[in-house]
Amino acid sequence: MKDVMLVTGAGQISMAIARRMGYGKKIIMGDKNLDHATSIAKIMNEAGYDVVPFEMDLSSRESIQAMIKEGQKYGEIAMLVNGAGVSPSQAPISAILNVDLYGTAILLEEVGKVIKAGGTGVTISSQSGHRMEQLGAAIDEQLAITPPDELLKLDVLQEENIKDTLHAYQLAKRCNEKRVMSEAVKWGARGARINSISPGIVVTPLAIDEFNGPRGDFYKNMFAKCPAGRPATADEIANVAELLMSDKGAFITGSDFLIDGGATASYFYGPLKPND
């Protein structure tokens, strides 16, 4: 039997983190598109890892439970990497809320029921959650602790209160941060830790969709005018995940790490600040 790493979202960030932390473990590589999961599994297996591709839908509790059950065939669940999600240019409001918001809440809850003592997890959020206006303590608490199956009934998440897909994405990512804080308390009772990472623009196929989408010029301008002056690589996100998931991060849980090359700083206090 081996310790098991569950990975959702067979993309570049997920693979970079799995390569950094998944050696010696059984890795279940889940994605809604089984071809994507199979492709990433092939690359990793040919590099000496032990990866099983698995078809899973983040918006379905039953699908998440099936993935956990698959992992438990090989050993205890020791690590979670959640890199699944859809972007504002890829999906309508309803899909963004169902996958990025509801699905992440379900995943953190279900894995939190079985994570082994000493286990760790990271979920990939986004800089977008840091740039929307504050929602207030009451709404933050609702996003943090409302039972997942009741989340999409909250007033703040009704479509008539959501301006567009970017706003839906921002709400989902703000919810991710709050859920991580809430779930960290429950994971802690099992001796486990959970954190989130909020990347800026990372060069991945999803980012390329954004560059070619309706907000492409906005995103290109963002990394051109951020202090770093460039987008990130997936491995730079994995650098932080490695800290969070290793013993060096043993005192870090319930936290969110903004890794955006200073884009959010520039948005509030620099050349990316919106014109009023």
Side-chain angles (χ1 to χ4, degrees):
M1 301 293 278
K2 288 185 175 182
D3 278 351
V4 176
M5 169 188 275
L6 300 179
V7 182
T8 65
Q12 293 297 316
I13 294 175
S14 293
M15 180 169 66
I17 298 172
R19 288 177 71 107
R20 202 68 64 87
M21 300 303 301
Y23 46 84
K25 298 178 178 64
K26 190 75 175 187
I27 301 171
I28 311 299
M29 181 65 64
D31 197 281
K32 190 171 184 179
N33 186 323
L34 185 58
D35 288 341
H36 290 170
T38 301
S39 175
I40 296 291
K42 182 176 186 293
I43 292 169
M44 292 189 66
N45 284 332
E46 289 177 352
Y49 293 86
D50 184 4
V51 186
V52 175
F54 191 82
E55 185 175 357
M56 62 83 63
D57 177 0
L58 187 63
S59 67
S60 163
R61 186 186 291 271
E62 291 74 21
S63 184
I64 289 168
Q65 289 172 333
M67 183 176 177
I68 291 170
K69 188 174 181 181
E70 176 70 16
Q72 289 174 321
K73 293 178 183 177
Y74 305 99
E76 289 187 279
I77 309 300
M79 288 186 174
L80 169 69
V81 177
N82 176 32
V86 292
S87 78
S89 296
Q90 291 178 321
I93 289 172
S94 59
I96 291 169
L97 295 180
N98 273 291
V99 176
D100 291 16
L101 190 148
Y102 169 78
T104 297
I106 292 291
L107 180 68
L108 297 183
E109 179 183 68
E110 290 292 336
V111 175
K113 294 175 182 176
V114 299
I115 191 77
K116 70 177 290 187
T120 61
V122 292
T123 186
I124 304 301
S125 188
S126 169
Q127 61 178 351
S128 289
H130 289 261
R131 282 207 288 278
M132 68 183 297
E133 65 184 22
Q134 296 299 309
L135 299 174
I139 293 177
D140 279 350
E141 185 171 7
Q142 289 176 350
L143 294 175
I145 68 173
T146 298
D149 289 325
E150 297 176 22
L151 263 175
L152 296 182
K153 299 175 185 176
L154 294 175
D155 286 344
V156 70
L157 300 179
Q158 299 313 298
E159 287 208 27
E160 62 267 22
N161 296 323
I162 298 175
K163 291 178 287 188
D164 52 26
T165 57
L166 178 59
H167 186 205
Y169 188 73
Q170 291 174 324
L171 284 165
K173 298 309 181 178
R174 181 67 60 81
C175 182
N176 292 169
E177 295 163 30
K178 300 304 175 184
R179 298 306 290 197
V180 162
M181 293 179 75
S182 174
E183 285 294 335
V185 178
K186 300 173 185 175
W187 283 47
R190 298 181 62 88
R193 300 182 295 108
I194 178 70
N195 292 288
S196 60
I197 295 174
S198 290
I201 297 171
V202 183
V203 179
T204 66
L206 183 148
I208 292 168
D209 281 348
E210 290 295 328
F211 294 157
N212 295 324
R215 282 180 287 275
D217 289 343
F218 170 81
Y219 287 111
K220 292 170 188 174
N221 183 59
M222 183 188 299
F223 71 72
K225 292 184 177 177
C226 75
R230 63 172 177 84
T233 64
D235 283 278
E236 290 177 296
I237 309 307
N239 288 340
V240 177
E242 182 177 16
L243 165 66
L244 297 176
M245 301 181 79
S246 72
D247 290 342
K248 291 181 179 179
F251 201 58
I252 307 172
T253 192
S255 296
D256 178 73
F257 288 77
L258 178 63
I259 313 172
D260 69 348
T264 299
S266 188
Y267 178 86
F268 283 112
Y269 309 117
L272 288 173
K273 187 171 184 177
N275 294 321
D276 294 329

